[in-house]
Amino acid sequence: MSLSRRTLLAASLATLPALAAGKAVAQVEGQWRAVTGDNGQPIPNTRLPGELASEIGALRGVTWLGPREASVTLYEFFDYNCPWCRAAARDLDDLVKGNPDLRLGLVNNPILSVQSAQAAKVALAVQRTGGSSATARLYGALLGPGTSGRIDGPRALEAASRLGHDRAAIEQAADSDEVREALTAQMRLAANLGLHATPSYVVGTSALLGYPGPKSLARVLSSVAECDEIACAS
């Protein structure tokens, strides 16, 4: 089946409303721990159910950066059309390179638009055929420095093609049941965790709702390494 605009649109529309209708189990306002972003504003955060948080690493289609044996694992749930996700993408590579004991997992959560879901399906198709390294390159091509504008399925396909992937093969994989099920599982878990902001971050059993900025995120990771909490008691 061809991954046409019509096909992508229909498949995405079938997925997004059903997930949006599900009741999130961890919706929060306020803070579990006192965490301040780089702009001086409080960053909403919450404690997550451990049994749900532990499911993230088992999701199909997570894009991994950093060493497998790292002692701290950070997950970013992102949307390709989220401006803060674009800002974060420009910092996360430096964060991983500067922290050899950090592993980053990128999880699709395209809640902002049908076009975002289209791009996520293309990325998952690249993940299926080329693994995390190939998907990380696509992520950088779509959200890295110098990028701008709306990202949809055709644009993601074009970016994948420029990176050397067979466009027809990626189209076919993106329209597969395997990719659809992987994306549905990622979005369903994000909803069940109450990750209603993009980007959102999960480390251990804590979640940050929104991008705190590179300095704040580095402080959070330092606290996790020191006391296993996103903010240590003073």
Side-chain angles (χ1 to χ4, degrees):
M1 184 182 298
S2 174
L3 185 71
S4 65
R5 289 177 181 268
R6 180 176 296 175
T7 301
L8 276 168
L9 182 63
S12 301
L13 285 173
T15 300
L16 293 174
L19 291 170
K23 182 178 180 181
V25 300
Q27 296 284 344
V28 296
E29 298 292 338
Q31 293 188 309
W32 170 262
R33 292 285 185 260
V35 177
T36 302
D38 288 0
N39 61 1
Q41 298 301 309
I43 296 296
N45 60 83
T46 185
R47 175 72 77 188
L48 301 174
E51 65 275 13
L52 283 179
S54 66
E55 294 179 11
I56 304 173
L59 286 168
R60 285 183 296 161
V62 176
T63 296
W64 296 104
L65 290 79
R68 183 184 296 271
E69 65 276 8
S71 63
V72 177
T73 299
L74 174 72
Y75 296 102
E76 181 190 70
F77 288 75
F78 74 99
D79 183 302
Y80 276 108
N81 284 298
C82 156
W84 288 108
C85 298
R86 190 184 301 275
R90 298 168 183 175
D91 299 323
L92 290 175
D93 188 54
D94 289 338
L95 188 65
V96 172
K97 289 177 179 177
N99 291 270
D101 210 24
L102 171 66
R103 193 181 195 205
L104 174 66
L106 299 172
V107 186
N108 294 285
N109 190 25
I111 57 178
L112 297 182
S113 68
V114 168
Q115 289 79 15
S116 300
Q118 293 174 355
K121 290 175 71 177
V122 172
L124 284 167
V126 170
Q127 172 82 24
R128 180 183 175 188
T129 59
S132 286
S133 60
T135 318
R137 288 192 291 272
L138 178 63
Y139 174 87
L142 294 174
L143 292 180
T147 61
S148 62
R150 173 72 66 177
I151 298 173
D152 57 11
R155 182 172 174 186
L157 280 170
E158 181 60 33
S161 179
R162 289 198 303 270
L163 290 171
H165 298 278
D166 183 286
R167 182 176 181 128
I170 295 299
E171 283 192 58
Q172 184 175 11
D175 197 33
S176 67
D177 287 342
E178 180 179 344
V179 162
R180 176 182 55 79
E181 290 166 4
L183 179 58
T184 298
Q186 291 184 6
M187 295 182 71
R188 180 179 291 118
L189 184 55
N192 287 339
L193 289 169
L195 306 181
H196 52 82
T198 56
S200 287
Y201 298 89
V202 174
V203 56
T205 57
S206 297
L208 301 172
L209 305 181
Y211 183 47
K215 294 179 181 178
S216 178
L217 194 55
R219 287 195 301 269
V220 164
L221 295 173
S222 178
S223 294
V224 170
E226 178 182 345
C227 65
D228 205 29
E229 295 284 354
I230 57 174
C232 299
S234 56

